Amino acid sequence: MLGFTIDTIGIFANAESIANFNSQNLGLTIIRNGKFKFWGEGYYKNFYIKYHRDYGMYLSGSISNYYKGYTSILQYDDLYKAIEKLGNSLAINLHSARLYRVDLALNIETNNPVSQYSNTLFTDLPHFKRFEQDDGVRFETKNKVIAIYNKTKEIKEKRSVIISQEILRIELRVLKNISNVFKIEEMKVENLYQSSVYLLLVDTFFKYYQKIKKQHIISAEVNAKYITPTVFKSLLMNKGIELHFQTEGEAYTKIEEWSREGKFKNPMDKSRCKKIITSAFKNPKNTEIHPLAKEINSKVESNCKHTIEELTKKEVKNE
């Protein structure tokens, strides 16, 4: 249940490749899409399907859940077999199908109840919009999403399955323009089987995680050798933010709320306000990263570096 897995994938198979597909077995509902095109849509297992015999088929769903269920994860070495099984079930060669979405997820076991690793630990990601949810936080653009949430709670609530591990889930969802990430003009499912491509996906995951700003707290002791006016001013600012917002994360949340309410006359003022919070809590003389954020940082780094090392070894071996 721990480690990296390829989760949701989005695939498009053209009309030629779906010639043997029998839509009657799935009982697809007919919908209208466009002026003249009528599509069938429905589900196979946990995959959403939209189908037109003269155009092609879209499939979207978790390949990990399909192949391993909800209490285990798909290992990278089993990805080919999982795609092969799904393709055989639908009578379609999915290996050569176009890949238009891919999610890479990392499950981490936390030292404390995962509910303690709240959305306030992850405060901001430049150029992404931040959205809080009951069990985590999402950073979104039109093309990508970084989601961090309580996986243990999700499995219990959505699947009615109780697991003993306390698991925090971190996902990189590449929703659009996938070719820009992999530098492959027409990305196919089979490209994911190349360790160099998977290596790039893991590396992209790690780089985005590192860019996420983590919650800092005011140190119990001032770490400066001497108390200067600059140190004193910074300490007062920290205390003011703490008094007004309670935490650094709540300050970022309030800024996002003000933005949605249209309270920033100048669009740049939102960014400037964020910078004030960032600079106030990045002073090593009187602040430090939250211990729980420090724990997650260490575990993400360990998983990423181990996976990258193993993939690099495969690359060398294949040369």
Side-chain angles (χ1 to χ4, degrees):
M1 193 66 185
L2 303 178
F4 278 109
T5 188
I6 297 285
D7 190 37
T8 297
I9 54 174
I11 300 172
F12 174 73
N14 61 29
E16 183 180 350
S17 64
I18 63 171
N20 296 325
F21 173 68
N22 186 352
S23 61
Q24 294 181 349
N25 292 340
L26 298 183
L28 301 180
T29 301
I30 303 301
I31 62 170
R32 185 167 184 166
N33 188 336
K35 192 172 181 179
F36 300 110
K37 293 181 179 178
F38 290 85
W39 292 71
E41 70 170 358
Y43 286 88
Y44 172 71
K45 304 292 186 181
N46 62 309
F47 273 85
Y48 168 73
I49 291 177
K50 192 167 81 169
Y51 161 80
H52 189 291
R53 66 180 183 180
D54 297 326
Y55 184 70
M57 177 191 292
Y58 290 94
L59 298 94
S60 179
S62 170
I63 191 66
S64 180
N65 290 346
Y66 167 75
Y67 194 71
K68 298 294 292 185
Y70 300 108
T71 58
S72 187
I73 60 173
L74 175 68
Q75 299 297 322
Y76 176 61
D77 289 342
D78 291 330
L79 178 60
Y80 178 92
K81 290 184 284 187
I83 297 294
E84 180 78 2
K85 179 183 177 182
L86 178 61
N88 288 341
S89 299
L90 298 172
I92 302 172
N93 177 10
L94 293 178
H95 301 299
S96 58
R98 178 167 63 87
L99 184 73
Y100 65 85
R101 171 182 174 169
V102 63
D103 295 5
L104 180 66
L106 175 62
N107 286 347
I108 294 172
E109 186 170 17
T110 56
N111 295 344
N112 303 285
V114 70
S115 57
Q116 295 182 17
Y117 298 75
S118 66
N119 43 36
T120 58
L121 287 179
F122 309 97
T123 59
D124 189 44
L125 179 58
H127 311 300
F128 282 68
K129 290 184 178 180
R130 184 178 184 276
F131 298 92
E132 291 188 7
Q133 50 198 58
D134 290 340
D135 60 344
V137 63
R138 299 188 322 278
F139 299 99
E140 297 186 0
T141 66
K142 291 181 179 179
N143 299 331
K144 299 181 186 72
V145 173
I146 312 293
I148 305 172
Y149 60 94
N150 185 336
K151 187 64 176 178
T152 301
K153 179 181 177 183
E154 186 210 44
I155 293 175
K156 180 181 178 181
E157 292 183 351
K158 289 188 176 182
R159 312 300 174 190
S160 300
V161 175
I162 297 175
I163 58 174
S164 59
Q165 294 170 300
E166 297 284 346
I167 296 177
L168 183 74
R169 174 89 152 202
I170 305 171
E171 293 180 358
L172 166 64
R173 304 170 184 168
V174 186
L175 307 178
K176 296 179 181 177
N177 298 333
I178 195 169
S179 296
N180 293 341
V181 174
F182 297 104
K183 311 303 179 187
I184 296 174
E185 188 170 339
E186 188 171 330
M187 186 75 181
K188 296 181 178 180
V189 174
E190 60 192 5
N191 292 129
L192 280 178
Y193 311 148
Q194 301 169 24
S195 54
S196 59
V197 172
Y198 187 61
L199 177 63
L200 184 56
L201 183 58
V202 174
D203 187 57
T204 302
F205 174 100
F206 191 32
K207 286 178 179 176
Y208 275 111
Y209 177 81
Q210 288 179 309
K211 289 178 182 178
I212 296 173
K213 295 175 183 177
K214 317 304 189 301
Q215 182 181 347
H216 283 65
I217 58 175
I218 299 174
S219 304
E221 300 290 338
V222 177
N223 297 319
K225 185 176 180 181
Y226 300 106
I227 301 298
T228 65
T230 301
V231 171
F232 185 61
K233 180 182 178 182
S234 178
L235 185 61
L236 288 178
M237 184 178 288
N238 292 146
K239 287 295 185 181
I241 293 171
E242 186 179 54
L243 180 65
H244 192 75
F245 298 106
Q246 283 73 57
T247 68
E248 178 193 13
E250 291 297 332
Y252 281 107
T253 298
K254 193 63 180 178
I255 290 171
E256 292 292 347
E257 183 181 314
W258 286 334
S259 177
R260 288 191 291 272
E261 292 173 355
K263 292 194 173 181
F264 292 112
K265 185 176 181 180
N266 184 337
M268 291 301 296
D269 287 346
K270 175 184 175 181
S271 176
R272 292 176 182 133
C273 287
K274 283 186 174 182
K275 285 181 180 178
I276 291 172
I277 303 298
T278 300
S279 61
F281 278 90
K282 279 294 179 73
N283 189 336
K285 293 177 180 178
N286 55 5
T287 65
E288 59 185 320
I289 191 169
H290 195 291
L292 297 183
K294 190 181 296 184
E295 175 200 336
I296 300 303
N297 283 351
S298 175
K299 291 180 176 180
V300 169
E301 181 176 356
S302 176
N303 274 275
C304 288
K305 287 188 173 180
H306 173 74
T307 303
I308 289 170
E309 285 174 5
E310 292 300 310
L311 290 169
T312 303
K313 287 177 184 178
K314 283 186 178 181
E315 280 289 281
V316 173
K317 190 179 293 185
N318 292 335
E319 288 179 355

